[in-house]
Amino acid sequence: MHTFQIKTYREGFTSSKPHFFILSKGLNAGKPLDTPCPNCFAITTESEEARNFYFWLSYGLWQAQAFTPHLTGSVVPFIRIGDARAVLLAGQEKALKDRGKYLKSLALLQDFEKKAKILQKQVELVKQVKRAIMFRILLE
């Protein structure tokens, strides 16, 4: 079984252990990140395998809106570090309970994430073509 430590991110955080970050404020609280931001938690693990497990577990939990019921605050919602830990531990328990089903779902999720990034690039290219057409017509 994997283990992790979760701490509030502070500027200047360094770790030799594998780590990632999850947002702690806003409606996207719980979203995993590779790079830190001011409003996030740092999650460190003992191995790269554990890091990938928890990164994709938090991604799946975020997609399923598992962090949403734990949001607190009226203007800027946030999740407490203990609640984030509890959600991750509950998700870990369920994922390890039926590991085969979890791994299949994870593979599908990763595949859809890759396809979404490709579509985002295509949308950006279409926007650039639109700008070029209008530039050629109006500014030449």
Side-chain angles (χ1 to χ4, degrees):
M1 182 184 292
H2 303 298
T3 59
F4 67 94
Q5 289 185 338
I6 183 168
K7 296 180 180 179
T8 302
Y9 170 76
R10 302 214 190 293
E11 184 115 9
F13 168 83
T14 57
S15 176
S16 59
K17 295 181 178 182
H19 60 277
F20 68 97
F21 307 92
I22 61 171
L23 286 174
S24 61
K25 290 189 179 176
L27 295 176
N28 279 326
K31 180 180 181 179
L33 308 167
D34 287 320
T35 56
C37 68
N39 300 318
C40 68
F41 299 129
I43 297 180
T44 56
T45 61
E46 294 297 321
S47 68
E48 192 63 33
E49 178 186 348
R51 182 237 181 250
N52 288 335
F53 174 81
Y54 285 110
F55 181 88
W56 287 103
L57 177 66
S58 11
Y59 184 82
L61 290 168
W62 171 67
Q63 286 291 325
Q65 298 183 344
F67 295 97
T68 304
H70 302 280
L71 293 179
T72 307
S74 58
V75 178
V76 179
F78 64 94
I79 189 166
R80 293 184 178 96
I81 196 166
D83 291 337
R85 181 182 292 114
V87 170
L88 284 171
L89 288 173
Q92 172 188 343
E93 184 180 318
K94 289 179 182 177
L96 294 177
K97 187 176 179 181
D98 193 356
R99 192 158 177 84
K101 191 174 180 180
Y102 170 72
L103 291 175
K104 284 181 183 178
S105 298
L106 184 60
L108 278 172
L109 195 62
Q110 289 172 337
D111 188 41
F112 277 112
E113 184 63 22
K114 286 178 189 175
K115 289 178 182 180
K117 286 181 181 180
I118 291 169
L119 288 173
Q120 287 173 342
K121 287 180 184 178
Q122 289 175 343
V123 167
E124 186 57 39
L125 289 173
V126 168
K127 287 179 183 178
Q128 288 177 4
V129 169
K130 287 179 181 179
R131 279 190 291 254
I133 290 169
M134 292 312 293
F135 177 79
R136 194 175 70 210
I137 292 171
L138 299 176
L139 299 176
E140 272 188 356

